[in-house]
Every structure is written in C-alpha cells, then in structure tokens.
C-alpha cells in the first residue's frame, strides 16, 4: 500500500518530493523489524544472564613451562582499611622515591658510629666481587660462610647481606665490632670501577640462591586507635635509609619538606601538607575565607622493638594529635620510601 502511494505521487510528476515525503515512514517501518516489544533491542545488560561455562581442561601431557597466569594479582602485605565513601587515593610517589641506589652504583650509609655500603646489585653478585677483592688484596682468610655472606680474615670481618630495597646489598667491614674505614673505602672504589654489577655474572647467579635473602616490606598497623608503621629492619639501618630517602623525597616546597633530623633521639621533623588540608572542600574554604594550603609540622619517631624491628610513629610537633586519615596517609608515604 505504501509502495502504491509512492508510485501514484511519482506518476503525478513529483518524483523527488514524493521520495522525501515518504522516506521517514519507510525508515520507521524498517526499524520496527529490529525492535523487541516495541523498543529498540538493547543488549547492554545481556551479560547479566550469561551462564558460566566449564573451565578449560588442558591435557596432562602438556609442557607446564609454557603455561602461566596471564594477569597474576600480586600479594599485598598488610590489611586494607576502607575509608568509606570519603576515601581518597593517596598521591602517587615520584619515580625516584624509594628507589635506593641505581643498579651498579654504590653509596655510603651511616648512623652514629656505624658505617656501611649500599650496592646496587644482588648479594650473590656482590659476594663474588668480595671473594675476588680478598684474593687480589692478599688477605689471610680464616673462615668463610657463603650462606651467611661472611668472610673472616686476619685483618677484619667482611659481610654482605640483602639491602632494604629489592636488588640491593649491604657491605660491612669491621674490626672488633667497629667499622674499618680503609676497608670500606677500598671496596667502595672497587665497586665504582666495576661496570658489570648491574647484570649478574655467572658466578653471581650460582651463589645468589644459596644466600639468605628473606625480605619483608614495611607494614601499616593500627594499635589502640593509633596508626603506626612497623619496619622489619634494625633501628640503625632503618634510620640511615629513611634519612637518605627523606632528604631526597621531602624536598618539595609547600608540599613536604625535611626540616630537621636528630639521630640521638631518632626523630625527624617534617613539614607536610596533610590529606585533610589537600582535600578541604570549596565551601569549607568559603566559610573561613581561607583558600591557602598550609603545611603541618610533624614529628616522626623511630623506636627499637624487642624482635629487632623498628616502629615509626607520627605526631604533630606541638604534641597535638593528627587525624586518623592524616597519620595513615603520611605513614603510607614513609613506608613507600622503604619498599
């Protein structure tokens, strides 16, 4: 019927006008064939009715080395604490935060009368270098324990252990429990002259798995309503590494700044733009007519624990209490510097 009407109009000399006149009706009839129950077929929620299929079963004769998880979810230490609807993701850390020394480089760390080297290479690689160092120097070896990473010589004790950052090692030279400056400087010069520490040598790879390299990251805990950071390192190591990291990361004017550090009391004073200040809303600023962002002076205190770990607490420098979210976010950042 529609086609006949169009034909009649066309025979009356209005071919173009007739086609345009009837085109909307033809389009509507065509679309009606794609509709379901009078509406356009919307499949955006069809997934809710999908049924789970049986898992894929691979034959037992397959080569298991060729198969692995395509998107593995890494394990995260500690417990997630929900902040409710007001949760704000913490700001991303800069690329150099918590990175320690670069691969193949060496840096001196000190805390009080203790000194040691941090080397950007795995303990297995460093162990091979230390054995070669002892041999070329003609030191008299009394004993060596590769698993513990200790070489006892007539001139002193040389030890290597895992560093606080992944892929790092700590080297100590001691005599009578005190650091041997000449030995440390000689080893430091040797590592500075070596260009292949970034990649493990064959001997390094062979010994790397034989050395104790267990390492746990810092974890955030809440005890008696107070947030605190448990660092699985001794007090001197934690202090020295945190000092170096804060000097590097807390150097952004108006956001976070390292003001003072005191090794005698194991405290750091920092000026920090707290989470509550950064997330202050427009209407709160309007009510106070203050649109500026003000940093708060915070004292970070390190204390030795009975199990050999170090506890880090954060309090306002005027002995006031920080809000829970502010303390948690600041300690999260500090813990990130030691991962």
């Amino acid at each position: 019927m529609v086609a006949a009407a169009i034909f009649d109009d066309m025979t009356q000399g209005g071919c173009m006008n007739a086609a345009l006149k009837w085109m909307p009706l033809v389009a509507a009839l065509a679309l009606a064939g794609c509709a379901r129950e009078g509406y356009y077929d919307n499949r955006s929620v069809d997934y809710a009715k999908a049924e789970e299929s049986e898992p894929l079963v691979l034959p037992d004769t397959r080569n298991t080395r060729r198969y692995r998880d395509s998107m593995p979810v890494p394990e995260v230490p500690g417990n997630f604490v929900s902040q409710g609807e007001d949760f704000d993701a913490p700001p991303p850390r800069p690329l150099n935060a918590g990175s320690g020394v670069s691969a193949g480089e060496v840096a001196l760390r000190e805390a009080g009368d203790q000194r040691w080297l941090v080397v950007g290479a795995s303990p297995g690689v460093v162990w091979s270098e230390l054995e070669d160092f002892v041999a070329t120097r003609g030191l008299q070896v009394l004993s060596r324990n590769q698993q513990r990473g200790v070489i006892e010589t007539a001139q002193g004790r040389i030890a290597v252990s895992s560093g606080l950052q992944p892929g790092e090692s700590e080297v100590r030279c001691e005599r009578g429990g005190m650091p041997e400056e000449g030995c440390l400087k000689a080893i430091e010069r040797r590592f500075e002259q070596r260009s292949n520490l970034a990649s493990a040598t064959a001997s390094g790879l062979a010994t790397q798995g034989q050395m104790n390299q267990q390492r746990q990251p810092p974890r955030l805990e809440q005890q008696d309503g107070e947030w605190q950071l448990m660092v699985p390192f001794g007090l001197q190591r934690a202090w020295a590494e945190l000092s170096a990291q804060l000097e590097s990361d807390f150097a952004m004017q108006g956001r976070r700044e390292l003001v003072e550090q005191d090794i005698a009391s194991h405290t750091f004073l920092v000026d920090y733009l707290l989470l509550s200040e950064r997330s202050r809303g427009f209407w709160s600023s309007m009510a106070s007519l203050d649109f500026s962002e003000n940093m708060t002076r915070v004292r970070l205190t390190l204390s030795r624990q009975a199990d050999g770990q170090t506890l880090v607490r954060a309090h306002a420098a005027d002995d006031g209490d920080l809000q829970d979210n502010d303390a948690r976010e600041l300690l999260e950042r500090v813990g990130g510097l030691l991962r």
Side-chain angles (χ1 to χ4, degrees):
M1 182 179 297
V2 174
I6 294 176
F7 179 78
D8 290 341
D9 281 353
M10 292 176 62
T11 57
Q12 295 176 7
C15 295
M16 182 62 68
N17 292 336
L20 294 176
K21 176 180 178 181
W22 291 99
M23 187 174 293
L25 180 58
V26 174
L29 292 174
L31 290 175
C34 299
R36 181 174 60 184
E37 298 180 357
Y39 297 94
Y40 187 77
D41 190 7
N42 183 2
R43 297 186 176 182
S44 62
V45 295
D46 284 0
Y47 72 92
K49 300 179 181 179
E51 297 181 358
E52 184 177 355
S53 60
E54 293 294 329
L56 179 64
V57 178
L58 299 176
D60 295 336
T61 56
R62 71 185 186 279
N63 184 356
T64 56
R65 294 184 179 181
R66 297 180 57 189
Y67 300 92
R68 59 182 176 83
D69 292 336
S70 58
M71 296 181 180
V73 179
E75 295 292 336
V76 178
N79 297 322
F80 173 77
V81 180
S82 174
Q83 302 301 315
E85 297 180 356
D86 297 330
F87 172 75
D88 289 322
R93 294 188 294 116
L95 294 178
N96 64 339
S99 58
V101 298
S102 301
E105 294 185 353
V106 60
L108 179 67
R109 294 285 189 265
E110 54 184 314
D113 57 359
Q114 297 297 314
R115 289 174 176 79
W116 62 92
L117 299 176
V118 177
V119 184
S122 64
V125 176
V126 175
W127 172 263
S128 300
E129 292 291 332
L130 292 180
E131 285 193 313
D132 189 56
F133 170 80
V134 169
T136 55
R137 289 276 174 161
L139 302 181
Q140 181 183 355
V141 178
L142 303 179
S143 65
R144 69 182 71 202
N145 188 319
Q146 181 175 313
Q147 186 174 3
R148 294 175 53 211
V150 176
I151 302 176
E152 297 283 357
T153 71
Q155 294 77 17
R157 183 175 187 264
I158 302 176
V160 57
S161 60
S162 298
L164 305 188
Q165 306 286 348
E168 289 183 359
S169 303
E170 294 182 358
V171 178
R172 287 172 169 78
C173 284
E174 298 177 345
R175 176 184 292 180
M178 297 299 295
E180 183 64 36
E181 297 291 342
C183 175
L184 281 176
K185 289 185 178 296
I187 294 178
E188 183 178 12
R189 286 195 299 269
R190 176 183 177 86
F191 286 151
E192 288 175 343
Q193 296 169 359
R194 304 288 285 181
S195 60
N196 63 339
L197 286 179
S199 59
T201 60
S203 58
L205 284 174
T207 58
Q208 185 173 350
Q210 302 175 23
M211 301 181 64
N212 184 10
Q213 300 188 62
Q214 295 182 355
R215 180 182 180 277
Q216 296 292 330
R219 63 183 185 276
L220 196 62
E221 301 175 344
Q222 193 173 31
Q223 295 290 340
D224 299 327
E226 178 187 359
W227 286 105
Q228 55 191 25
L229 182 69
M230 185 65 71
V231 182
F233 321 128
L235 180 59
Q236 299 294 346
R237 295 178 67 195
W239 164 268
E241 188 64 27
L242 189 55
S243 174
Q245 295 296 338
L246 288 176
E247 289 176 358
S248 174
D249 185 60
F250 276 57
M252 183 177 293
Q253 187 175 4
R255 304 291 292 184
R256 54 185 182 274
E257 301 176 35
L258 176 61
V259 179
E260 180 183 307
Q261 48 184 317
D262 181 14
I263 190 173
S265 60
H266 297 105
T267 58
F268 296 94
L269 276 181
V270 298
D271 286 341
Y272 191 70
L273 191 61
L274 298 174
L275 176 64
S276 58
E277 183 71 9
R278 297 198 306 267
S279 57
R280 186 157 52 99
F282 172 77
W283 294 113
S284 298
S285 300
M286 280 289 294
S288 61
L289 298 179
D290 182 10
F291 293 90
S292 61
E293 292 182 328
N294 300 312
M295 294 192 296
T296 300
R297 183 151 296 183
V298 180
R299 178 181 292 106
L300 299 174
T301 304
L302 281 65
S303 59
R304 181 183 288 107
Q305 301 300 292
D307 55 359
Q309 301 187 86
T310 300
L311 190 65
V312 183
R313 292 186 173 94
H315 297 96
D318 58 3
D319 295 329
D321 292 330
L322 298 177
Q323 296 183 22
D324 284 350
N325 287 349
D326 289 337
R328 175 192 58 81
E329 191 271 337
L330 173 56
L331 289 175
E332 275 184 348
R333 186 175 194 94
V334 172
L337 297 176
L338 298 175
R339 293 186 186 277

